[in-house]
Amino acid sequence: MAATSRVPGYAGGALWFSGTNGMVVVPQTPSIVTGAAITISAKVWRDVPSNPPADYFPTIFSYLYSSNDVGHYLFFGVEPGAGLVADLSGCWLGKEMVTGRWEHVAMTVNAGQLAAYVGTNRISYSCGGFSTSEQNIYIGWYPDPQYNAHWSGKIDDVRIHKSGWSAAQMLDLSEPWNDLDGDGITTLQECQNGCNPNMDDTDQD
């Protein structure tokens, strides 16, 4: 973790990113991005710099197969004019998002289908797979020197699930106080305890 600050978040604490050099590095030990189904979700607060740099692509989550192979990557962030973008090796889709407030955002890759969410709004697109290696995962930055890709704002409650969640599950996840499985424990409580909020787990183990 570099050049980030802890600040009040959506639920508890969050990390604040300056937009210039902040990032969180997540080593793949054990492997997280494997080429199989994956779901990524977060609560984000996006700020826009008064003078954004050229090629500015503020990143929430990224994975790059190789610094010399830009055809195999996973990018989840903002592209100018497109809003929130989920980009899988050049297969991408965008959804408008606002600045200066908390938004629930998510993406899921499963069986050749790429989907992105802003709150309860969903878009999807058919795509191929992607290659993987033991490269690091980054939160708040995309490791390609040709872009200015540091996130500006706050990121809270990042969740990485090694499965592809359905539209219904993803929409419920956007509301942390929901009880997806009817076990009397909210989505937020189950995630904080390392449980799957879609499975009945009354003892929170």
Side-chain angles (χ1 to χ4, degrees), residues 26-178:
V26 182
Q28 287 228 71
T29 50
S31 296
I32 300 170
V33 177
T34 63
I38 188 170
T39 298
I40 303 152
S41 68
K43 299 292 192 299
V44 300
W45 180 298
R46 183 188 172 211
D47 295 329
V48 178
S50 56
N51 294 299
D55 296 321
Y56 182 53
F57 296 88
T59 304
I60 300 167
F61 176 97
S62 71
Y63 165 82
L64 186 63
Y65 174 69
S66 168
S67 60
N68 297 316
D69 186 2
V70 295
H72 298 92
Y73 58 87
L74 191 60
F75 169 85
F76 189 43
V78 176
E79 291 194 13
L84 179 77
V85 166
D87 189 340
L88 174 61
S89 301
C91 170
W92 71 274
L93 40 83
K95 188 71 178 176
E96 190 58 42
M97 66 179 296
V98 301
T99 60
R101 77 177 190 194
W102 286 107
E103 290 265 36
H104 176 265
V105 298
M107 70 174 293
T108 184
V109 183
N110 189 22
Q113 190 80 6
L114 173 67
Y117 300 78
V118 178
T120 58
N121 297 312
R122 175 181 185 265
I123 49 175
S124 63
Y125 193 83
S126 295
C127 296
F130 58 100
S131 300
T132 62
S133 67
E134 294 302 313
Q135 301 296 323
N136 292 327
I137 291 167
Y138 295 91
I139 297 171
W141 183 57
Y142 179 65
D144 190 327
Q146 66 178 311
Y147 301 115
N148 292 289
H150 289 282
W151 183 257
S152 179
K154 294 173 278 190
I155 300 179
D156 192 5
D157 197 33
V158 176
R159 303 289 170 184
I160 304 171
H161 306 272
K162 296 174 72 173
S163 60
W165 284 26
S166 69
Q169 290 172 325
M170 292 301 301
L171 296 182
D172 282 335
L173 186 62
S174 69
E175 296 296 333
W177 313 118
N178 284 357

